[in-house]
Amino acid sequence: MCGMRSDVVKRGLERAPHRALLHATGLKRDDLDKPFIGIINSYSSMVPGHMHLRSVAEAVAQGVREAGGVPFEFNTIAVCDGIAMGHRGMHYSLPSRELIADSVEVVAEAHALDGLVLITNCDKITPGMLMAAARLDLPAIILTGGPMPSGWFRGRKIGVSAMFEAIGRVRRGELSEEELAELEALACPACGSCNGLYTANTMACITEALGLSLPGSATPLANSSRRISMALATGKRAVELVRENLTASKILRRKAFENAIRVDLALGGSTNTILHLMAVAKEAGVDLALDDFDRLSRETPQLSELIPSGPHDVEDLDRAGGIPAVMKTLEPLLHLDALTVTGKTVGENIAGARRLDGEVIRPLENPIRRDGGIAILWGNLAPRGAVLKTAGVPESMMRFRGEARVFDCEEDAVRALMDREVESGEVVVIRYEGPKGGPGMREMLTPTATLVGLGLIEKIALITDGRFSGATRGLCIGHVSPEAFEGGPIAALRNGDVIEIDVSNRVLRIELEDDEIQRRLRHWHRPEPRIKKGYLMRYSLQVTSADTGAIFSVNPGQKAK
């Protein structure tokens, strides 16, 4: 095969030293005529969603070889949000996305790879891989690692969110510490991304909907034989992509992003997908804004209700036909001519798909709700927008008005909740947790799960310039922009200020005159950064607001503000 990108490291007299080094890896002379396929593996023995990825990568490599390519495997990092939750570690979760994208870029460019297979599974790893694929614009295909099966406790499905919620139940006396220990041993029974439609599985579904992974690849269980078969097929397809010169930019067009957003909305997925899709779109040169999510949400019905908002897990979604069945159901709303890594269009891919369970995937004419699972709220508290997962909001809380209880960090809010210092009808505000102020825009699963465990999730609203886990449910509004650290109106809030929330009309406002908000902000002083060294310090200087996807500023030579 001629004219490959990898020729720069293997052709010509001057590349004799390079060929010698390649021979040291076990390559034979005729291997130099084959496409070099990078297999980027996010295997980690500490992350349940990634602990099985060695065997997945082996099957991918086998597929590459069978298709006539040469596989080269290397690793990137993986952070488990569940393990990082509720302590200093969560500062590092979102920032790891940029490190992952950068690490893939570095090796792929340094070694002049012809194509990529990106093996991923969890919250920031999948979007980091997608960002790298968009940035490099090589023939690239994503393989997600698959979901974990549900645990079972006394006749009901459980997962990691049940553990976070159990903490409050113990505090209430509803669950004993012995029962908690029993729950711990049963909640996460095997490898894979957590069992519900949390961020990891939402991103897997979105990746398939974007067209960058093979149809049907998002939902088979991590420990299933289908996952290995999918890995083998993915490796083979990677070589074919190189031969067809089908690069990521030919797939990641605006139509693909709109398809992915509609699938997300129909499933009632995680709000984190807004940050991630905007970041991937930026790398792909596609203009995507918060308005696009809200517009599409008003047009797209919610068809599924998965854990944590409903009774079904991702295994149920797979049994019901997976993402091909979801997209087949959404067919009248999708761009069927969007190209995918199969070399075929979305319409061709889903032509034979069928919805196999009408309870797990509702028909268009009988949805769970007429609009999608995400809403963008605006108002004088969030002039540049805020994000809400409507799929998890009780109907009784779609309109809410209450006095603010303001906290300047997550820990203080959790302590107050645990000590029963917050009253029903109040609005808990957690600020200085945005991309810059956190830094790192921590997830607020601990306070939201605490509200559930204490039986207050339908009585208290929560607002933050941080973000929420896909496991969150309730009236929990995140991504408030501008964030407090940038002097957004959320920095002017005081205890007792009245906040109005109207989800249907997309309103989030403080009952204060604009002059009073501005007067307070004139007397506001930015607090000292919480972290003043290392990667997080550098991250806080480069990262932009949540309403842009919390991406890095790319203006060379511009001094960070």
Side-chain angles (χ1 to χ4, degrees):
M1 183 174 178
C2 298
M4 290 184 286
R5 187 171 182 267
S6 58
D7 285 350
V8 72
V9 297
K10 61 188 183 185
R11 299 288 180 199
L13 176 64
E14 297 84 357
R15 298 301 181 246
H18 306 63
R19 291 191 292 272
L21 291 167
L22 290 167
H23 287 313
T25 69
L27 262 62
K28 298 181 176 63
R29 190 77 185 183
D30 60 354
D31 288 329
L32 299 176
D33 296 326
K34 302 173 183 176
F36 283 6
I37 306 296
I39 300 175
I40 301 90
N41 192 355
S42 53
Y43 162 79
S44 168
S45 64
M46 194 176 186
V47 181
H50 295 243
M51 58 187 285
H52 63 301
L53 296 184
R54 277 179 173 168
S55 58
V56 171
E58 288 170 1
V60 169
Q62 180 183 341
V64 170
R65 292 189 190 97
E66 289 183 9
V70 179
F72 291 100
E73 182 181 353
F74 60 96
N75 280 80
T76 190
I77 62 171
V79 170
C80 174
D81 277 23
I83 296 172
M85 192 70 67
H87 58 89
R88 179 183 173 89
M90 182 46 68
H91 288 293
Y92 289 88
S93 174
L94 182 60
S96 74
R97 184 186 71 180
E98 268 56 35
L99 283 175
I100 290 160
D102 290 350
S103 68
V104 174
E105 175 193 354
V106 166
V107 179
E109 292 284 23
H111 291 173
L113 297 170
D114 296 304
L116 304 175
V117 178
L118 302 116
I119 305 175
T120 173
N121 214 21
C122 289
D123 298 42
K124 308 309 161 309
I125 301 92
T126 300
M129 298 278 201
L130 284 166
M131 289 167 68
R135 183 186 303 172
L136 291 163
D137 194 22
L138 294 172
I141 186 168
I142 309 281
L143 177 63
T144 49
M148 179 188 295
S150 293
W152 286 86
F153 181 73
R154 300 181 183 178
R156 69 182 181 93
K157 288 177 182 175
I158 57 170
V160 70
S161 60
M163 295 309 309
F164 283 96
E165 294 171 5
I167 297 167
R169 294 176 64 199
V170 172
R171 281 295 179 98
R172 289 176 71 189
E174 187 180 309
L175 198 70
S176 70
E177 293 197 15
E178 290 76 16
E179 290 170 317
L180 179 67
E182 184 182 350
L183 197 62
E184 287 175 30
L186 297 172
C188 301
C191 63
S193 49
C194 297
N195 66 329
L197 199 67
Y198 311 127
T199 305
N201 285 322
T202 306
M203 285 307 306
C205 294
I206 280 178
T207 301
E208 185 176 328
L210 275 170
L212 270 188
S213 59
L214 293 178
S217 64
T219 54
L221 287 176
N223 57 5
S224 67
S225 59
R226 286 172 58 208
R227 180 61 48 194
I228 299 301
S229 297
M230 194 65 69
L232 185 68
T234 298
K236 290 179 178 178
R237 184 60 193 150
V239 179
E240 294 165 358
L241 288 172
V242 173
R243 291 178 173 142
E244 296 166 15
N245 193 31
L246 180 49
T247 63
S249 67
K250 297 173 183 176
I251 296 167
L252 293 176
R253 304 287 177 88
R254 184 172 184 84
K255 290 179 179 181
F257 284 97
E258 292 196 352
N259 285 345
I261 292 170
R262 287 197 190 273
V263 168
D264 184 15
L265 295 167
L267 291 172
S270 166
T271 53
N272 285 317
T273 56
I274 294 178
L275 290 173
H276 301 324
L277 279 176
M278 290 178 76
V280 177
K282 182 71 174 179
E283 297 283 0
V286 173
D287 185 22
L288 203 59
L290 287 179
D291 284 336
D292 294 311
F293 290 87
D294 199 60
R295 171 179 57 82
L296 292 169
S297 186
R298 292 178 184 274
E299 302 170 1
T300 308
Q302 185 185 341
L303 303 178
S304 293
E305 203 166 25
L306 275 65
I307 294 170
S309 303
H312 307 297
D313 59 15
V314 180
E315 186 175 3
D316 292 327
L317 179 61
D318 184 62
R319 178 177 48 79
I323 299 308
V326 174
M327 297 184 80
K328 185 68 175 177
T329 308
L330 289 171
E331 193 170 29
L333 301 176
L334 298 180
H335 299 290
L336 299 178
D337 58 341
L339 187 61
T340 73
V341 286
T342 63
K344 300 177 182 178
T345 65
V346 166
E348 291 172 314
N349 285 344
I350 66 173
R354 291 188 302 129
R355 190 165 39 85
L356 303 176
D357 189 323
E359 286 300 311
V360 179
I361 306 171
R362 297 274 196 94
L364 271 180
E365 60 272 16
N366 183 31
I368 290 160
R369 51 164 51 95
R370 292 291 170 187
D371 54 3
I374 290 174
I376 309 300
L377 308 185
W378 312 87
N380 64 359
L381 183 52
R384 299 210 306 258
V387 176
L388 170 67
K389 180 177 178 177
T390 57
V393 179
E395 192 62 37
S396 61
M397 296 188 76
M398 296 296 278
R399 295 192 70 172
F400 193 89
R401 183 175 177 273
E403 293 187 0
R405 286 295 306 277
V406 183
F407 302 93
D408 287 346
C409 67
E410 176 190 6
E411 290 82 358
D412 289 350
V414 171
R415 193 177 303 112
L417 288 170
M418 287 293 194
D419 292 343
R420 306 294 185 91
E421 295 175 5
V422 180
E423 302 290 334
S424 294
E426 291 185 321
V427 181
V428 172
V429 177
I430 306 176
R431 64 188 177 189
Y432 297 108
E433 293 287 4
K436 285 183 177 292
M441 204 179 182
R442 290 193 289 176
E443 287 184 341
M444 302 288 120
L445 178 56
T446 299
T448 57
T450 300
L451 286 173
V452 173
L454 293 172
L456 297 171
I457 196 63
E458 296 190 21
K459 301 173 183 177
I460 289 174
L462 199 157
I463 295 172
T464 181
D465 53 6
R467 60 195 177 90
F468 291 110
S469 163
T472 292
R473 54 194 172 104
L475 184 53
C476 299
I477 300 167
H479 305 206
V480 170
S481 299
E483 63 176 286
F485 195 78
E486 290 187 317
I490 191 172
L493 274 177
R494 296 175 182 171
N495 287 333
D497 288 340
V498 176
I499 296 174
E500 177 194 358
I501 303 166
D502 184 340
V503 177
S504 297
N505 291 310
R506 305 299 199 256
V507 172
L508 176 62
R509 62 180 297 272
I510 329 166
E511 293 186 0
L512 291 174
E513 296 295 330
D514 289 345
D515 287 349
E516 173 60 14
I517 295 172
Q518 293 306 313
R519 186 190 68 78
R520 292 184 188 184
L521 289 175
R522 282 195 297 271
H523 292 89
W524 168 81
H525 298 286
R526 178 179 287 110
E528 282 290 306
R530 290 174 179 161
I531 296 173
K532 300 181 181 180
K533 63 180 181 179
Y535 176 57
L536 286 179
M537 183 271 291
R538 299 196 304 276
Y539 178 86
S540 68
L541 292 174
Q542 297 179 76
V543 71
T544 61
S545 176
D547 64 295
T548 67
I551 59 174
F552 278 176
S553 172
V554 292
N555 296 324
Q558 183 179 26
K559 193 172 182 179
K561 295 181 180 179

